[in-house]
Amino acid sequence: MQNEQKKYYVVTQNAIPEVLLKVVEVKRLLEGKNPPSVMEATDQVGISRSSFYKYKDDIFEFHENVRGKTITFLIEMRDEPGLLSDVLMIVAKSRANILTIHQSIPVSGMASTSISVQVMPETGDVTEMMDQIDAMDGVKSLRILGAE
């Protein structure tokens, strides 16, 4: 058997097959206060137990595996006074540690900003933080460049 190195990918929910999303849902159910059995949870979401066991160690929600890591994301945003400050306020409220900020000179009213944050043990849900930034008026797009 070859010694293969694992590769990791960051994809959006739209690119993930439904069976994998259901595996994540089963994992969520099993982590609840009164967790059902694996059989009950898989029946509830509509997948087989074999599918769950086949993929359970290979898919996880982004925020489950980022504690103690550095995440770098790129934001395309309008060049408006206070917009970057509002973005940074969301990061601060999420209790992530800002390591670097780099903003390009705006071109045609748009600026590219890369932000690296350290996800601390007390940091809130990273996915929620990024969703809040992405939903801001003036933010055209947000994408993850890397996590280390």
Side-chain angles (χ1 to χ4, degrees), residues 57-112:
D57 295 326
D58 294 320
I59 185 161
F60 50 89
E61 288 188 278
F62 179 68
H63 66 86
E64 287 181 21
N65 200 35
V66 294
R67 299 276 179 246
K69 299 203 182 219
T70 299
I71 301 170
T72 302
F73 49 95
L74 179 68
I75 306 169
E76 295 287 329
M77 66 175 85
R78 288 196 301 254
D79 179 30
E80 295 178 359
L83 186 55
L84 179 56
S85 177
D86 292 343
V87 167
L88 298 178
M89 185 60 70
I90 290 172
V91 174
K93 285 181 180 177
S94 297
R95 302 186 54 85
N97 182 33
I98 298 169
L99 300 173
T100 64
I101 303 168
H102 176 57
Q103 186 168 5
S104 67
I105 295 174
V107 176
S108 300
M110 296 298 288
S112 295

Side-chain angles (χ1 to χ4, degrees), residues 12-144:
T12 61
Q13 181 174 340
N14 294 339
I16 300 173
E18 185 178 357
V19 66
L20 296 178
L21 295 173
K22 288 182 175 188
V23 167
V24 171
E25 182 61 27
V26 169
K27 288 170 71 172
R28 245 189 248 127
L29 290 171
L30 295 174
E31 291 171 358
K33 263 189 169 180
N34 297 312
S37 68
V38 171
M39 187 170 89
E40 292 168 335
T42 55
D43 284 348
Q44 187 174 336
V45 301
I47 61 170
S48 67
R49 283 184 302 138
S50 62
S51 292
F52 172 72
Y53 285 115
K54 180 177 182 179
Y55 297 117
K56 74 178 182 69
D57 295 326
D58 294 320
I59 185 161
F60 50 89
E61 288 188 278
F62 179 68
H63 66 86
E64 287 181 21
N65 200 35
V66 294
R67 299 276 179 246
K69 299 203 182 219
T70 299
I71 301 170
T72 302
F73 49 95
L74 179 68
I75 306 169
E76 295 287 329
M77 66 175 85
R78 288 196 301 254
D79 179 30
E80 295 178 359
L83 186 55
L84 179 56
S85 177
D86 292 343
V87 167
L88 298 178
M89 185 60 70
I90 290 172
V91 174
K93 285 181 180 177
S94 297
R95 302 186 54 85
N97 182 33
I98 298 169
L99 300 173
T100 64
I101 303 168
H102 176 57
Q103 186 168 5
S104 67
I105 295 174
V107 176
S108 300
M110 296 298 288
S112 295
T113 306
S114 67
I115 301 175
S116 294
V117 299
Q118 183 180 23
V119 180
M120 311 296 286
E122 62 272 8
T123 301
D125 184 338
V126 176
T127 304
E128 184 179 319
M129 175 186 75
M130 296 181 76
D131 285 346
Q132 287 177 9
I133 294 169
D134 196 30
M136 291 177 64
D137 187 38
V139 171
K140 180 181 175 187
S141 67
L142 180 148
R143 58 176 222 235
I144 298 169

